[in-house]
mmCIF file of all heavy atoms in Angstrom:
data_model
loop_
_atom_site.group_PDB
_atom_site.id
_atom_site.type_symbol
_atom_site.label_atom_id
_atom_site.label_comp_id
_atom_site.label_asym_id
_atom_site.label_seq_id
_atom_site.Cartn_x
_atom_site.Cartn_y
_atom_site.Cartn_z
ATOM 1 N N SER E 107 -16.038 16.450 7.813
ATOM 2 C CA SER E 107 -15.295 17.690 7.992
ATOM 3 C C SER E 107 -16.204 18.904 7.742
ATOM 4 O O SER E 107 -17.320 18.766 7.209
ATOM 5 C CB SER E 107 -14.104 17.737 7.069
ATOM 6 O OG SER E 107 -14.519 17.782 5.729
ATOM 7 N N ALA E 108 -15.699 20.056 8.091
ATOM 8 C CA ALA E 108 -16.511 21.287 7.958
ATOM 9 C C ALA E 108 -16.812 21.589 6.506
ATOM 10 O O ALA E 108 -17.872 22.075 6.175
ATOM 11 C CB ALA E 108 -15.768 22.424 8.625
ATOM 12 N N SER E 109 -15.849 21.349 5.650
ATOM 13 C CA SER E 109 -16.073 21.636 4.208
ATOM 14 C C SER E 109 -16.371 20.300 3.519
ATOM 15 O O SER E 109 -15.469 19.533 3.268
ATOM 16 C CB SER E 109 -14.857 22.311 3.609
ATOM 17 O OG SER E 109 -13.732 21.459 3.733
ATOM 18 N N SER E 110 -17.597 20.042 3.207
ATOM 19 C CA SER E 110 -17.960 18.807 2.551
ATOM 20 C C SER E 110 -17.484 18.863 1.099
ATOM 21 O O SER E 110 -17.443 19.933 0.484
ATOM 22 C CB SER E 110 -19.451 18.571 2.619
ATOM 23 O OG SER E 110 -20.126 19.586 1.943
ATOM 24 N N PRO E 111 -17.147 17.740 0.522
ATOM 25 C CA PRO E 111 -16.592 17.734 -0.835
ATOM 26 C C PRO E 111 -17.638 18.169 -1.862
ATOM 27 O O PRO E 111 -18.814 17.961 -1.699
ATOM 28 C CB PRO E 111 -16.157 16.289 -1.063
ATOM 29 C CG PRO E 111 -16.825 15.482 0.007
ATOM 30 C CD PRO E 111 -17.161 16.414 1.113
ATOM 31 N N SER E 112 -17.120 18.768 -2.949
ATOM 32 C CA SER E 112 -17.992 19.209 -4.030
ATOM 33 C C SER E 112 -18.491 17.981 -4.808
ATOM 34 O O SER E 112 -18.124 16.854 -4.510
ATOM 35 C CB SER E 112 -17.235 20.161 -4.936
ATOM 36 O OG SER E 112 -16.167 19.464 -5.579
ATOM 37 N N GLY E 113 -19.269 18.241 -5.850
ATOM 38 C CA GLY E 113 -19.813 17.133 -6.644
ATOM 39 C C GLY E 113 -18.766 16.286 -7.289
ATOM 40 O O GLY E 113 -18.828 15.070 -7.270
ATOM 41 N N PHE E 114 -17.779 16.951 -7.927
ATOM 42 C CA PHE E 114 -16.714 16.222 -8.593
ATOM 43 C C PHE E 114 -15.878 15.446 -7.592
ATOM 44 O O PHE E 114 -15.531 14.281 -7.831
ATOM 45 C CB PHE E 114 -15.807 17.180 -9.372
ATOM 46 C CG PHE E 114 -14.628 16.504 -9.993
ATOM 47 C CD1 PHE E 114 -14.783 15.698 -11.123
ATOM 48 C CD2 PHE E 114 -13.374 16.650 -9.465
ATOM 49 C CE1 PHE E 114 -13.700 15.047 -11.696
ATOM 50 C CE2 PHE E 114 -12.290 16.021 -10.022
ATOM 51 C CZ PHE E 114 -12.429 15.220 -11.158
ATOM 52 N N ALA E 115 -15.537 16.071 -6.451
ATOM 53 C CA ALA E 115 -14.741 15.420 -5.452
ATOM 54 C C ALA E 115 -15.479 14.220 -4.855
ATOM 55 O O ALA E 115 -14.880 13.171 -4.600
ATOM 56 C CB ALA E 115 -14.357 16.410 -4.356
ATOM 57 N N LYS E 116 -16.782 14.380 -4.670
ATOM 58 C CA LYS E 116 -17.579 13.283 -4.142
ATOM 59 C C LYS E 116 -17.616 12.093 -5.117
ATOM 60 O O LYS E 116 -17.520 10.930 -4.692
ATOM 61 C CB LYS E 116 -18.993 13.785 -3.825
ATOM 62 C CG LYS E 116 -19.891 12.804 -3.160
ATOM 63 C CD LYS E 116 -19.493 12.638 -1.707
ATOM 64 C CE LYS E 116 -20.537 11.850 -0.990
ATOM 65 N NZ LYS E 116 -20.076 11.383 0.283
ATOM 66 N N THR E 117 -17.745 12.398 -6.402
ATOM 67 C CA THR E 117 -17.759 11.360 -7.421
ATOM 68 C C THR E 117 -16.415 10.636 -7.473
ATOM 69 O O THR E 117 -16.372 9.410 -7.544
ATOM 70 C CB THR E 117 -18.088 11.956 -8.814
ATOM 71 O OG1 THR E 117 -19.332 12.650 -8.736
ATOM 72 C CG2 THR E 117 -18.175 10.884 -9.861
ATOM 73 N N LEU E 118 -15.333 11.404 -7.414
ATOM 74 C CA LEU E 118 -13.996 10.815 -7.457
ATOM 75 C C LEU E 118 -13.747 9.966 -6.195
ATOM 76 O O LEU E 118 -13.183 8.875 -6.264
ATOM 77 C CB LEU E 118 -12.934 11.919 -7.550
ATOM 78 C CG LEU E 118 -11.516 11.446 -7.724
ATOM 79 C CD1 LEU E 118 -11.358 10.707 -9.040
ATOM 80 C CD2 LEU E 118 -10.583 12.634 -7.680
ATOM 81 N N GLN E 119 -14.238 10.436 -5.077
ATOM 82 C CA GLN E 119 -14.115 9.704 -3.821
ATOM 83 C C GLN E 119 -14.873 8.384 -3.865
ATOM 84 O O GLN E 119 -14.376 7.343 -3.446
ATOM 85 C CB GLN E 119 -14.616 10.585 -2.697
ATOM 86 C CG GLN E 119 -14.387 10.110 -1.324
ATOM 87 C CD GLN E 119 -14.875 11.120 -0.297
ATOM 88 O OE1 GLN E 119 -15.573 12.054 -0.610
ATOM 89 N NE2 GLN E 119 -14.540 10.883 0.949
ATOM 90 N N THR E 120 -16.080 8.404 -4.423
ATOM 91 C CA THR E 120 -16.883 7.215 -4.539
ATOM 92 C C THR E 120 -16.243 6.204 -5.505
ATOM 93 O O THR E 120 -16.230 5.015 -5.223
ATOM 94 C CB THR E 120 -18.310 7.547 -5.017
ATOM 95 O OG1 THR E 120 -18.872 8.468 -4.082
ATOM 96 C CG2 THR E 120 -19.178 6.315 -5.067
ATOM 97 N N GLN E 121 -15.699 6.704 -6.577
ATOM 98 C CA GLN E 121 -15.054 5.831 -7.565
ATOM 99 C C GLN E 121 -13.814 5.206 -6.954
ATOM 100 O O GLN E 121 -13.558 4.000 -7.146
ATOM 101 C CB GLN E 121 -14.689 6.583 -8.827
ATOM 102 C CG GLN E 121 -15.863 6.874 -9.711
ATOM 103 C CD GLN E 121 -15.447 7.655 -10.952
ATOM 104 O OE1 GLN E 121 -14.320 8.099 -11.106
ATOM 105 N NE2 GLN E 121 -16.408 7.813 -11.839
ATOM 106 N N SER E 122 -13.033 5.975 -6.208
ATOM 107 C CA SER E 122 -11.823 5.420 -5.606
ATOM 108 C C SER E 122 -12.146 4.402 -4.547
ATOM 109 O O SER E 122 -11.351 3.495 -4.258
ATOM 110 C CB SER E 122 -10.933 6.524 -5.018
ATOM 111 O OG SER E 122 -11.569 7.116 -3.904
ATOM 112 N N LEU E 123 -13.320 4.528 -3.956
ATOM 113 C CA LEU E 123 -13.728 3.545 -2.932
ATOM 114 C C LEU E 123 -13.915 2.148 -3.515
ATOM 115 O O LEU E 123 -13.586 1.160 -2.874
ATOM 116 C CB LEU E 123 -15.068 4.007 -2.293
ATOM 117 C CG LEU E 123 -15.630 3.167 -1.175
ATOM 118 C CD1 LEU E 123 -14.701 3.133 0.038
ATOM 119 C CD2 LEU E 123 -16.994 3.692 -0.772
ATOM 120 N N TYR E 124 -14.338 2.066 -4.773
ATOM 121 C CA TYR E 124 -14.603 0.778 -5.404
ATOM 122 C C TYR E 124 -13.551 0.406 -6.463
ATOM 123 O O TYR E 124 -13.253 -0.784 -6.635
ATOM 124 C CB TYR E 124 -15.993 0.764 -6.041
ATOM 125 C CG TYR E 124 -17.081 0.997 -5.015
ATOM 126 C CD1 TYR E 124 -17.793 2.179 -4.996
ATOM 127 C CD2 TYR E 124 -17.356 0.031 -4.051
ATOM 128 C CE1 TYR E 124 -18.782 2.404 -4.035
ATOM 129 C CE2 TYR E 124 -18.319 0.228 -3.101
ATOM 130 C CZ TYR E 124 -19.035 1.440 -3.099
ATOM 131 O OH TYR E 124 -19.994 1.658 -2.147
ATOM 132 N N VAL E 125 -13.043 1.386 -7.216
ATOM 133 C CA VAL E 125 -12.141 1.080 -8.311
ATOM 134 C C VAL E 125 -10.757 0.644 -7.822
ATOM 135 O O VAL E 125 -10.205 -0.337 -8.329
ATOM 136 C CB VAL E 125 -12.055 2.260 -9.285
ATOM 137 C CG1 VAL E 125 -10.991 2.044 -10.335
ATOM 138 C CG2 VAL E 125 -13.393 2.497 -9.937
ATOM 139 N N PHE E 126 -10.179 1.384 -6.892
ATOM 140 C CA PHE E 126 -8.822 1.074 -6.441
ATOM 141 C C PHE E 126 -8.718 -0.316 -5.801
ATOM 142 O O PHE E 126 -7.772 -1.033 -6.095
ATOM 143 C CB PHE E 126 -8.285 2.149 -5.527
ATOM 144 C CG PHE E 126 -7.965 3.427 -6.242
ATOM 145 C CD1 PHE E 126 -8.130 4.643 -5.611
ATOM 146 C CD2 PHE E 126 -7.492 3.434 -7.535
ATOM 147 C CE1 PHE E 126 -7.852 5.823 -6.278
ATOM 148 C CE2 PHE E 126 -7.203 4.593 -8.208
ATOM 149 C CZ PHE E 126 -7.369 5.806 -7.569
ATOM 150 N N PRO E 127 -9.653 -0.742 -4.949
ATOM 151 C CA PRO E 127 -9.567 -2.112 -4.468
ATOM 152 C C PRO E 127 -9.675 -3.147 -5.567
ATOM 153 O O PRO E 127 -8.964 -4.169 -5.531
ATOM 154 C CB PRO E 127 -10.736 -2.237 -3.477
ATOM 155 C CG PRO E 127 -10.989 -0.833 -3.022
ATOM 156 C CD PRO E 127 -10.686 0.012 -4.192
ATOM 157 N N ALA E 128 -10.491 -2.880 -6.562
ATOM 158 C CA ALA E 128 -10.584 -3.815 -7.686
ATOM 159 C C ALA E 128 -9.311 -3.862 -8.481
ATOM 160 O O ALA E 128 -8.853 -4.934 -8.933
ATOM 161 C CB ALA E 128 -11.769 -3.426 -8.584
ATOM 162 N N LEU E 129 -8.656 -2.681 -8.653
ATOM 163 C CA LEU E 129 -7.387 -2.652 -9.348
ATOM 164 C C LEU E 129 -6.288 -3.382 -8.577
ATOM 165 O O LEU E 129 -5.510 -4.126 -9.167
ATOM 166 C CB LEU E 129 -6.950 -1.201 -9.603
ATOM 167 C CG LEU E 129 -7.607 -0.484 -10.752
ATOM 168 C CD1 LEU E 129 -7.175 0.975 -10.799
ATOM 169 C CD2 LEU E 129 -7.294 -1.129 -12.088
ATOM 170 N N VAL E 130 -6.241 -3.175 -7.292
ATOM 171 C CA VAL E 130 -5.263 -3.874 -6.484
ATOM 172 C C VAL E 130 -5.476 -5.392 -6.556
ATOM 173 O O VAL E 130 -4.502 -6.173 -6.674
ATOM 174 C CB VAL E 130 -5.317 -3.377 -5.003
ATOM 175 C CG1 VAL E 130 -4.511 -4.297 -4.089
ATOM 176 C CG2 VAL E 130 -4.792 -1.941 -4.931
ATOM 177 N N PHE E 131 -6.705 -5.813 -6.525
ATOM 178 C CA PHE E 131 -7.005 -7.248 -6.660
ATOM 179 C C PHE E 131 -6.563 -7.767 -8.029
ATOM 180 O O PHE E 131 -5.961 -8.833 -8.140
ATOM 181 C CB PHE E 131 -8.501 -7.506 -6.445
ATOM 182 C CG PHE E 131 -8.909 -8.915 -6.659
ATOM 183 C CD1 PHE E 131 -8.524 -9.888 -5.749
ATOM 184 C CD2 PHE E 131 -9.664 -9.307 -7.754
ATOM 185 C CE1 PHE E 131 -8.855 -11.212 -5.942
ATOM 186 C CE2 PHE E 131 -10.007 -10.634 -7.953
ATOM 187 C CZ PHE E 131 -9.608 -11.584 -7.015
ATOM 188 N N ALA E 132 -6.845 -6.992 -9.106
ATOM 189 C CA ALA E 132 -6.447 -7.442 -10.455
ATOM 190 C C ALA E 132 -4.949 -7.436 -10.591
ATOM 191 O O ALA E 132 -4.389 -8.382 -11.214
ATOM 192 C CB ALA E 132 -7.078 -6.533 -11.495
ATOM 193 N N TRP E 133 -4.293 -6.458 -10.050
ATOM 194 C CA TRP E 133 -2.818 -6.403 -10.129
ATOM 195 C C TRP E 133 -2.152 -7.516 -9.338
ATOM 196 O O TRP E 133 -1.024 -7.872 -9.580
ATOM 197 C CB TRP E 133 -2.290 -5.070 -9.614
ATOM 198 C CG TRP E 133 -2.563 -3.916 -10.583
ATOM 199 C CD1 TRP E 133 -2.756 -4.031 -11.928
ATOM 200 C CD2 TRP E 133 -2.671 -2.567 -10.264
ATOM 201 N NE1 TRP E 133 -2.980 -2.775 -12.459
ATOM 202 C CE2 TRP E 133 -2.910 -1.865 -11.436
ATOM 203 C CE3 TRP E 133 -2.547 -1.836 -9.074
ATOM 204 C CZ2 TRP E 133 -3.064 -0.473 -11.484
ATOM 205 C CZ3 TRP E 133 -2.695 -0.473 -9.122
ATOM 206 C CH2 TRP E 133 -2.948 0.208 -10.300
ATOM 207 N N SER E 134 -2.856 -8.077 -8.351
ATOM 208 C CA SER E 134 -2.269 -9.163 -7.570
ATOM 209 C C SER E 134 -2.066 -10.431 -8.397
ATOM 210 O O SER E 134 -1.266 -11.273 -8.046
ATOM 211 C CB SER E 134 -3.146 -9.477 -6.349
ATOM 212 O OG SER E 134 -4.360 -10.097 -6.745
ATOM 213 N N PHE E 135 -2.776 -10.545 -9.532
ATOM 214 C CA PHE E 135 -2.562 -11.673 -10.408
ATOM 215 C C PHE E 135 -1.336 -11.433 -11.300
ATOM 216 O O PHE E 135 -0.693 -12.390 -11.695
ATOM 217 C CB PHE E 135 -3.792 -11.899 -11.298
ATOM 218 C CG PHE E 135 -4.993 -12.397 -10.575
ATOM 219 C CD1 PHE E 135 -5.986 -11.542 -10.214
ATOM 220 C CD2 PHE E 135 -5.076 -13.745 -10.223
ATOM 221 C CE1 PHE E 135 -7.107 -11.991 -9.505
ATOM 222 C CE2 PHE E 135 -6.169 -14.219 -9.540
ATOM 223 C CZ PHE E 135 -7.198 -13.348 -9.189
ATOM 224 N N ILE E 136 -1.081 -10.194 -11.619
ATOM 225 C CA ILE E 136 -0.033 -9.848 -12.612
ATOM 226 C C ILE E 136 1.322 -9.658 -11.943
ATOM 227 O O ILE E 136 2.335 -10.192 -12.417
ATOM 228 C CB ILE E 136 -0.424 -8.560 -13.351
ATOM 229 C CG1 ILE E 136 -1.749 -8.736 -14.070
ATOM 230 C CG2 ILE E 136 0.663 -8.138 -14.296
ATOM 231 C CD1 ILE E 136 -2.351 -7.438 -14.588
ATOM 232 N N PHE E 137 1.349 -8.938 -10.824
ATOM 233 C CA PHE E 137 2.612 -8.601 -10.173
ATOM 234 C C PHE E 137 2.976 -9.661 -9.142
ATOM 235 O O PHE E 137 2.095 -10.410 -8.673
ATOM 236 C CB PHE E 137 2.499 -7.259 -9.492
ATOM 237 C CG PHE E 137 2.315 -6.099 -10.448
ATOM 238 C CD1 PHE E 137 1.343 -5.174 -10.220
ATOM 239 C CD2 PHE E 137 3.119 -5.970 -11.559
ATOM 240 C CE1 PHE E 137 1.159 -4.111 -11.118
ATOM 241 C CE2 PHE E 137 2.973 -4.923 -12.446
ATOM 242 C CZ PHE E 137 1.987 -3.992 -12.212
ATOM 243 N N PRO E 138 4.240 -9.734 -8.763
ATOM 244 C CA PRO E 138 4.647 -10.664 -7.709
ATOM 245 C C PRO E 138 3.911 -10.399 -6.397
ATOM 246 O O PRO E 138 3.556 -9.282 -6.082
ATOM 247 C CB PRO E 138 6.154 -10.402 -7.580
ATOM 248 C CG PRO E 138 6.590 -9.784 -8.830
ATOM 249 C CD PRO E 138 5.393 -8.999 -9.321
ATOM 250 N N SER E 139 3.717 -11.454 -5.626
ATOM 251 C CA SER E 139 2.985 -11.308 -4.359
ATOM 252 C C SER E 139 3.728 -10.460 -3.339
ATOM 253 O O SER E 139 3.117 -9.999 -2.396
ATOM 254 C CB SER E 139 2.759 -12.707 -3.752
ATOM 255 O OG SER E 139 1.849 -13.430 -4.542
ATOM 256 N N ALA E 140 4.997 -10.233 -3.552
ATOM 257 C CA ALA E 140 5.742 -9.369 -2.630
ATOM 258 C C ALA E 140 5.155 -7.948 -2.674
ATOM 259 O O ALA E 140 5.002 -7.311 -1.658
ATOM 260 C CB ALA E 140 7.215 -9.326 -3.011
ATOM 261 N N LEU E 141 4.774 -7.484 -3.865
ATOM 262 C CA LEU E 141 4.134 -6.166 -3.974
ATOM 263 C C LEU E 141 2.763 -6.167 -3.323
ATOM 264 O O LEU E 141 2.404 -5.209 -2.646
ATOM 265 C CB LEU E 141 4.006 -5.765 -5.406
ATOM 266 C CG LEU E 141 5.316 -5.417 -6.104
ATOM 267 C CD1 LEU E 141 5.064 -5.109 -7.592
ATOM 268 C CD2 LEU E 141 5.988 -4.265 -5.454
ATOM 269 N N THR E 142 2.017 -7.227 -3.501
ATOM 270 C CA THR E 142 0.705 -7.334 -2.878
ATOM 271 C C THR E 142 0.813 -7.347 -1.352
ATOM 272 O O THR E 142 0.011 -6.723 -0.644
ATOM 273 C CB THR E 142 -0.051 -8.567 -3.391
ATOM 274 O OG1 THR E 142 0.054 -8.616 -4.810
ATOM 275 C CG2 THR E 142 -1.494 -8.547 -2.997
ATOM 276 N N LEU E 143 1.823 -8.067 -0.861
ATOM 277 C CA LEU E 143 2.073 -8.085 0.587
ATOM 278 C C LEU E 143 2.469 -6.701 1.077
ATOM 279 O O LEU E 143 2.027 -6.252 2.167
ATOM 280 C CB LEU E 143 3.164 -9.119 0.928
ATOM 281 C CG LEU E 143 3.488 -9.330 2.383
ATOM 282 C CD1 LEU E 143 2.271 -9.884 3.123
ATOM 283 C CD2 LEU E 143 4.652 -10.312 2.504
ATOM 284 N N TYR E 144 3.259 -5.992 0.330
ATOM 285 C CA TYR E 144 3.640 -4.616 0.645
ATOM 286 C C TYR E 144 2.409 -3.715 0.695
ATOM 287 O O TYR E 144 2.253 -2.930 1.612
ATOM 288 C CB TYR E 144 4.681 -4.112 -0.335
ATOM 289 C CG TYR E 144 5.056 -2.665 -0.170
ATOM 290 C CD1 TYR E 144 5.941 -2.303 0.844
ATOM 291 C CD2 TYR E 144 4.567 -1.674 -0.971
ATOM 292 C CE1 TYR E 144 6.332 -0.990 1.038
ATOM 293 C CE2 TYR E 144 4.924 -0.361 -0.791
ATOM 294 C CZ TYR E 144 5.815 -0.024 0.198
ATOM 295 O OH TYR E 144 6.150 1.271 0.374
ATOM 296 N N TRP E 145 1.546 -3.814 -0.320
ATOM 297 C CA TRP E 145 0.328 -3.005 -0.345
ATOM 298 C C TRP E 145 -0.539 -3.318 0.864
ATOM 299 O O TRP E 145 -1.131 -2.390 1.445
ATOM 300 C CB TRP E 145 -0.452 -3.270 -1.615
ATOM 301 C CG TRP E 145 0.113 -2.608 -2.830
ATOM 302 C CD1 TRP E 145 0.790 -1.421 -2.898
ATOM 303 C CD2 TRP E 145 0.040 -3.090 -4.162
ATOM 304 N NE1 TRP E 145 1.170 -1.160 -4.177
ATOM 305 C CE2 TRP E 145 0.704 -2.176 -4.989
ATOM 306 C CE3 TRP E 145 -0.510 -4.218 -4.734
ATOM 307 C CZ2 TRP E 145 0.825 -2.331 -6.340
ATOM 308 C CZ3 TRP E 145 -0.393 -4.394 -6.096
ATOM 309 C CH2 TRP E 145 0.246 -3.444 -6.891
ATOM 310 N N THR E 146 -0.635 -4.575 1.208
ATOM 311 C CA THR E 146 -1.458 -4.974 2.344
ATOM 312 C C THR E 146 -0.883 -4.350 3.645
ATOM 313 O O THR E 146 -1.683 -3.801 4.445
ATOM 314 C CB THR E 146 -1.527 -6.504 2.468
ATOM 315 O OG1 THR E 146 -2.044 -7.051 1.248
ATOM 316 C CG2 THR E 146 -2.416 -6.926 3.612
ATOM 317 N N ALA E 147 0.390 -4.459 3.820
ATOM 318 C CA ALA E 147 1.025 -3.882 5.016
ATOM 319 C C ALA E 147 0.810 -2.392 5.062
ATOM 320 O O ALA E 147 0.454 -1.834 6.132
ATOM 321 C CB ALA E 147 2.509 -4.225 5.046
ATOM 322 N N MET E 148 0.983 -1.696 3.946
ATOM 323 C CA MET E 148 0.783 -0.236 3.922
ATOM 324 C C MET E 148 -0.674 0.126 4.163
ATOM 325 O O MET E 148 -0.989 1.129 4.807
ATOM 326 C CB MET E 148 1.249 0.360 2.598
ATOM 327 C CG MET E 148 2.770 0.313 2.422
ATOM 328 S SD MET E 148 3.621 1.270 3.665
ATOM 329 C CE MET E 148 4.325 -0.032 4.664
ATOM 330 N N ASN E 149 -1.611 -0.692 3.648
ATOM 331 C CA ASN E 149 -3.012 -0.439 3.916
ATOM 332 C C ASN E 149 -3.353 -0.604 5.374
ATOM 333 O O ASN E 149 -4.120 0.171 5.943
ATOM 334 C CB ASN E 149 -3.897 -1.364 3.062
ATOM 335 C CG ASN E 149 -3.878 -1.009 1.609
ATOM 336 O OD1 ASN E 149 -3.588 0.119 1.243
ATOM 337 N ND2 ASN E 149 -4.194 -1.977 0.776
#
Side-chain angles (χ1 to χ4, degrees):
S107 66
S109 61
S110 62
S112 66
F114 176 74
K116 186 73 169 166
T117 303
L118 186 64
Q119 188 177 12
T120 303
Q121 286 179 353
S122 69
L123 182 64
Y124 300 109
V125 172
F126 288 146
L129 281 175
V130 167
F131 177 69
W133 287 336
S134 70
F135 290 100
I136 300 168
F137 295 132
S139 292
L141 290 176
T142 311
L143 184 62
Y144 176 78
W145 284 328
T146 303
M148 290 300 106
N149 288 337

